Amino acid sequence: MLFKSMLFVILSSFGCLRVAQVHADTPPDETPPVSTAPSSVEPATFHQQPARVGDRVAQHVTTALDLQTTILQSAKVANQSSTRFSRQQKRFIEVLEVVEGRAKKAHVTFPLSRQHAPENGVSSPETVQCVEGKSYIVVRQGNRLVVTDSSGAIPPQEEFSLVVNSLQSLGLPSPLVKYLLGRTVKIGEQLQLPKQIAEEMLGVDGQLGKAEKFHLKLQELKMVDEQPCAVFVATIEAQGDPDNPVTLRARGEVLIQINTCRTVSAKLEGPLRMSTLEKTSEGEFEYKAQGTMQVAIDSQYGYAAK
């Protein structure tokens, strides 16, 4: 069903919201400042460090959609239901090769990768996805990623797609980092990201619609895991078009390391609406859905000297 496919596209896209870095992309000769506790009143100036062989990140990504769905057949209500679609994934990434300060090759393991997708409104247990418990080598080659499994073979299409979807930003400059790098921000200051950057962050191919608003307001500065961090309140609004009829509004916190521009966590939630029309041999069906979307991305960074 087209409508259900759209829901999964939304889940996948929001789960890959490009705020969580698996790499850095500053020139190799730039040295980040020494970590010191940030002042509660002084502005924060954002820096970054280049990727290094041995850089590691453990990420936990969860996404969920709580939806109320109405199906109209010939303008009459044919069905109404409430469902919850969800996905969660844990991944461990280690950089194996760096070119010009950017990660080009990485090893990724998926300790956990599951989804919950009720069929016809009937509750069902979580489904284990095909990448869970497996490891892969991922290499950035221009605009594409090359993926091989632990035996060196190209994995089946379903595995390949899940790996690529999870690591699509590997080796690419982060749009958020490009915006923040070198910028000085005061407590209470609100940043309005250019639409082009906001749309890059909303996922691949505009699946979440076109960005109408993407604001970041610096709320506070604090130390997290011995790193000075900035806590931003994020506001996102996206509007679809006839081919992508999704309206999204989300708000939440984004925690970013000041000295590295790495995103430590992002937790966003807000209302979502969508509708679509399907013509079949049984008649014309209109699908309407509204509800709440939630996404949380938590990252822990480390380094294994080589």
Side-chain angles (χ1 to χ4, degrees):
M1 182 185 294
L2 175 61
F3 184 70
K4 185 175 179 180
S5 298
M6 290 175 65
L7 294 178
F8 282 116
V9 166
I10 293 169
L11 272 175
S12 300
S13 298
F14 215 105
C16 292
L17 188 68
R18 292 182 63 186
V19 295
Q21 275 190 279
V22 297
H23 65 286
D25 36 65
T26 46
D29 58 353
E30 179 168 326
T31 302
V34 176
S35 296
T36 56
S39 165
S40 60
V41 293
E42 292 182 0
T45 300
F46 290 86
H47 306 273
Q48 196 185 22
Q49 65 182 25
R52 301 169 295 177
V53 173
D55 276 345
R56 294 176 172 180
V57 58
Q59 295 179 325
H60 186 196
V61 181
T62 59
T63 54
L65 277 171
D66 289 294
L67 289 175
Q68 293 75 49
T69 305
T70 300
I71 302 177
L72 302 175
Q73 182 178 12
S74 301
K76 295 182 179 180
V77 176
N79 181 268
Q80 288 183 314
S81 63
S82 297
T83 53
R84 178 179 176 85
F85 297 83
S86 62
R87 283 183 173 177
Q88 63 168 325
Q89 184 182 91
K90 292 182 179 179
R91 55 198 185 221
F92 182 81
I93 304 162
E94 181 173 352
V95 175
L96 301 180
E97 183 181 345
V98 173
V99 176
E100 296 180 350
R102 297 181 185 175
K104 180 180 180 181
K105 182 179 181 181
H107 178 270
V108 57
T109 301
F110 296 92
L112 178 76
S113 188
R114 302 187 179 189
Q115 67 179 25
H116 180 228
E119 292 284 349
N120 300 320
V122 178
S123 181
S124 60
E126 276 189 328
T127 301
V128 176
Q129 295 185 295
C130 54
V131 297
E132 182 171 305
K134 298 180 181 179
S135 298
Y136 304 88
I137 299 296
V138 183
V139 181
R140 167 66 60 185
Q141 291 187 355
N143 293 327
R144 69 188 185 102
L145 293 176
V146 176
V147 180
T148 53
D149 61 21
S150 56
S151 67
I154 298 175
Q157 183 60 44
E158 185 179 2
E159 288 185 42
F160 177 87
S161 296
L162 282 169
V163 175
V164 169
N165 196 40
S166 300
L167 274 83
Q168 60 180 304
S169 64
L170 179 72
L172 296 178
S174 163
L176 181 57
V177 171
K178 287 192 296 184
Y179 181 79
L180 288 178
L181 190 57
R183 187 179 293 268
T184 298
V185 186
K186 299 178 182 178
I187 299 291
E189 183 177 350
Q190 180 167 279
L191 307 176
Q192 181 172 337
L193 276 68
K195 284 190 175 183
Q196 181 179 356
I197 292 178
E199 288 172 4
E200 285 183 56
M201 292 178 61
L202 284 176
V204 294
D205 301 326
Q207 299 286 11
L208 293 175
K210 293 185 177 180
E212 297 294 326
K213 178 190 294 185
F214 203 133
H215 292 171
L216 290 173
K217 184 176 182 179
L218 183 55
Q219 181 172 271
E220 64 172 317
L221 306 177
K222 64 181 182 180
M223 294 293 288
V224 178
D225 294 332
E226 300 182 347
Q227 283 286 338
C229 293
V231 181
F232 286 98
V233 174
T235 302
I236 302 171
E237 294 184 8
Q239 179 68 52
D241 52 39
D243 294 326
N244 183 21
V246 178
T247 300
L248 169 70
R249 290 177 176 82
R251 182 180 171 87
E253 275 192 0
V254 179
L255 183 67
I256 299 174
Q257 292 179 350
I258 296 171
N259 291 342
T260 67
C261 276
R262 288 170 168 171
T263 301
V264 177
S265 65
K267 294 177 175 62
L268 301 168
E269 180 177 354
L272 176 144
R273 295 174 182 269
M274 61 183 299
S275 64
T276 186
L277 192 66
E278 291 185 35
K279 295 182 179 180
T280 70
S281 58
E282 299 178 359
E284 188 174 87
F285 292 84
E286 184 178 5
Y287 298 84
K288 295 183 177 181
Q290 62 179 8
T292 301
M293 168 170 278
Q294 300 167 314
V295 60
I297 305 173
D298 292 290
S299 301
Q300 291 183 313
Y301 299 92
Y303 176 67
K306 299 294 181 180

